């Protein structure tokens, strides 16, 4: 049944000239039909380079919004309109404007997990894989980092030359994994390497063997001679790695790192959106944004792509 739907999706993608971009936290059956998958930085880069006239994002709302901002002339759809990000929702553009005014000497660096309203109020955007590189490169010394305090504190530890003040937000799922969870997993799997996302708490990243974004964790596991890993990011990554590397073992750090928002999108959602696009039905969830608004939010994303790219 799954493969039959996947075949229909593949045919509809071609017929409607739509590229499917999926975040790595999506279900395996969705990653299989995606044209591009990866972490947030890779998705933004792919969004800029797709040849197709339309894009269907399998992920959460800010990812579709970012793809639209980067491609104002393309039609961008989100496969499940309910899929949001509680971390992105914890800070509004209005609130950031107020904070900015009270911290006029700080450069505002926002995580990509933010709404376009927040990006409009920010000087540069970063992802988990590009944050340290970008913050080290910018000449300003005083920084306000929003909204993820865990990622902000991790970046501050890697760039001690900067004065970084963090907003108090977090990913409730990554932040849910405690030091007790990490120590318990290490006791259960004493030979496994602990790989952790910087959205986790500092006391958890402190005892990790490797800290990186979703794609960096996957690449580390592939390249490592080690055969066992405790995976400290969304639970799907241990599952995807187990499919791709069946001779290695992957154990989720904690079942608390389960993002229900990322789990909302189903293969039927993808199929239904594509068939709505084909029939030109308004029930497909399309991102519609004013061109001036896009231009204002785009500046900080352009800066991220410029400073975070491999050539820079
Ligand atoms: P990355 O994709 O940059 O690793 O971020 C993880 C995440 O939580 C996405 O919402
Ligand atoms: Fe947002 Fe966390 Fe889910 Fe990523 S894992 S989409 S940061 S709630």
């Amino acid at each position: 049944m799954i493969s039959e739907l996947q075949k229909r999706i593949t045919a509809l993608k071609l017929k409607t000239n739509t590229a499917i971009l999926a975040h790595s936290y999506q279900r395996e059956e969705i990653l299989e039909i995606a044209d591009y998958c990866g972490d947030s930085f890779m998705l933004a880069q792919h969004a800029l380079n797709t040849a197709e006239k339309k894009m269907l994002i399998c992920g959460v709302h800010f990812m579709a919004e970012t793809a639209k901002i980067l491609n104002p002339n393309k039609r961008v759809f989100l496969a499940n309109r309910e899929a949001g990000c509680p971390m992105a929702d914890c800070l509004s553009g209005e609130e950031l404007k107020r904070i900015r005014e009270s911290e006029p000497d700080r450069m505002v660096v926002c995580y990509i997990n933010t709404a376009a309203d927040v990006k409009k109020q920010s000087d540069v955007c970063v992802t988990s894989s590009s944050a340290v590189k970008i913050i080290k490169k910018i000449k300003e010394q005083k920084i306000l980092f929003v909204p993820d305090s865990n990622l902000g504190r991790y970046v501050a530890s890697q760039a001690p030359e900067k004065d970084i003040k963090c907003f108090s937000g977090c990913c409730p799922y990554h932040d849910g994994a405690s030091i007790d969870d990490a120590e318990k997993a290490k006791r259960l799997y004493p030979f496994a390497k602990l790989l952790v996302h910087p959205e986790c708490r500092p006391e958890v990243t402190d005892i990790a063997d490797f800290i990186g974004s979703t794609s960096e964790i996957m690449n580390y596991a592939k390249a490592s001679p080690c055969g066992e890993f405790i995976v400290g990011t969304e639970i799907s990554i241990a599952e995807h790695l187990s499919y791709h590397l069946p001779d290695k073992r992957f154990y989720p750090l904690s079942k608390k790192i389960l993002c229900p928002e990322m789990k909302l999108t189903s293969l039927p959602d993808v199929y239904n959106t594509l068939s709505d696009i084909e029939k030109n039905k308004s029930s497909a969830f399309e991102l519609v944004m004013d061109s001036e608004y896009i231009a204002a939010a785009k500046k900080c994303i352009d800066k991220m792509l410029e400073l975070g790219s491999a050539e820079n």
Side-chain angles (χ1 to χ4, degrees):
M1 258 154 104
I2 287 182
S3 64
E4 182 48 41
L5 203 53
Q6 286 177 319
K7 277 187 208 150
R8 288 191 190 204
I9 288 172
T10 305
L12 273 175
K13 273 197 305 185
L14 286 173
K15 203 169 172 193
T16 59
N17 197 9
T18 307
I20 298 186
L21 277 68
H23 188 269
S24 317
Y25 293 165
Q26 293 290 294
R27 299 161 193 264
E28 186 67 26
E29 65 268 26
I30 290 178
L31 298 186
E32 282 174 1
I33 49 87
D35 298 287
Y36 306 99
C37 29
D39 63 14
S40 305
F41 189 72
M42 291 164 81
L43 281 193
Q45 280 185 318
H46 287 314
L48 203 58
N49 295 323
T50 54
E52 289 85 349
K53 291 214 160 43
K54 302 180 201 82
M55 261 180 265
L56 175 52
I57 309 298
C58 299
V60 295
H61 190 269
F62 75 81
M63 294 174 180
E65 208 175 48
T66 305
K68 179 68 187 176
I69 292 169
L70 287 169
N71 294 277
N73 299 323
K74 289 190 181 178
R75 297 186 69 192
V76 176
F77 300 86
L78 179 64
N80 186 309
R81 70 177 68 220
E82 297 292 324
C85 168
M87 162 146 42
D89 293 342
C90 78
L91 177 65
S92 69
E94 269 305 304
E95 189 175 0
L96 181 55
K97 192 165 178 250
R98 278 198 301 276
I99 301 172
R100 243 201 116 115
E101 280 160 10
S102 64
E103 300 278 353
D105 57 340
R106 288 185 186 269
M107 182 177 196
V108 177
V109 178
C110 73
Y111 193 21
I112 198 165
N113 295 38
T114 43
D117 258 351
V118 168
K119 292 189 173 81
K120 270 174 67 183
Q121 299 293 333
S122 302
D123 299 304
V124 62
C125 179
V126 297
T127 61
S128 57
S129 62
S130 62
V132 174
K133 183 178 177 182
I134 290 175
I135 286 190
K136 278 183 166 292
K137 266 189 193 167
I138 54 184
K139 62 176 192 319
E140 285 80 358
Q141 209 253 335
K142 293 184 90 174
I143 287 161
L144 173 67
F145 190 90
V146 300
D148 186 1
S149 58
N150 288 333
L151 178 62
R153 279 181 284 183
Y154 170 66
V155 175
S157 73
Q158 302 301 301
E161 69 277 18
K162 303 279 179 180
D163 168 3
I164 302 179
K165 186 169 178 179
C166 300
F167 183 72
S168 59
C170 67
C171 164
Y173 311 111
H174 283 83
D175 188 70
S178 65
I179 183 68
D180 288 351
D181 294 326
E183 283 171 349
K184 184 175 161 203
K186 274 167 97 73
R187 274 197 306 279
L188 275 174
Y189 310 111
F191 303 110
K193 292 252 185 250
L194 175 61
L195 319 180
V196 170
H197 197 282
E199 285 178 18
C200 287
R201 295 180 188 187
E203 59 268 32
V204 175
T205 48
D206 278 353
I207 61 162
D209 296 294
F210 177 76
I211 303 163
S213 74
T214 309
S215 299
E216 287 169 339
I217 286 178
M218 294 179 95
N219 291 338
Y220 181 96
K222 281 175 199 157
S224 167
C226 185
E228 285 182 81
F229 304 88
I230 301 161
V231 183
T233 189
E234 216 279 333
I235 211 157
S236 56
I237 297 302
E239 188 185 333
H240 298 321
L241 282 166
S242 306
Y243 284 126
H244 293 285
L245 303 167
D247 297 326
K248 295 188 177 189
R249 297 285 168 98
F250 299 95
Y251 316 108
L253 164 62
S254 164
K255 60 188 173 196
K256 290 175 213 150
I257 319 182
L258 193 159
C259 176
E261 304 289 333
M262 283 284 184
K263 296 285 167 290
L264 277 179
T265 307
S266 66
L267 207 55
D269 287 336
V270 179
Y271 175 69
N272 291 337
T273 306
L274 286 171
S275 44
D276 287 350
I277 293 172
E278 186 201 17
K279 295 180 190 112
N280 218 359
K281 281 194 179 171
S282 59
S283 36
F285 184 65
E286 181 169 3
L287 279 283
V288 181
M289 293 161 85
D290 172 71
S291 59
E292 272 178 37
Y293 188 82
I294 287 182
K298 190 167 183 285
K299 283 189 207 139
C300 75
I301 304 176
D302 285 342
K303 192 142 191 181
M304 169 186 86
L305 291 170
E306 179 203 321
L307 295 172
S309 70
E311 303 85 62
N312 266 304

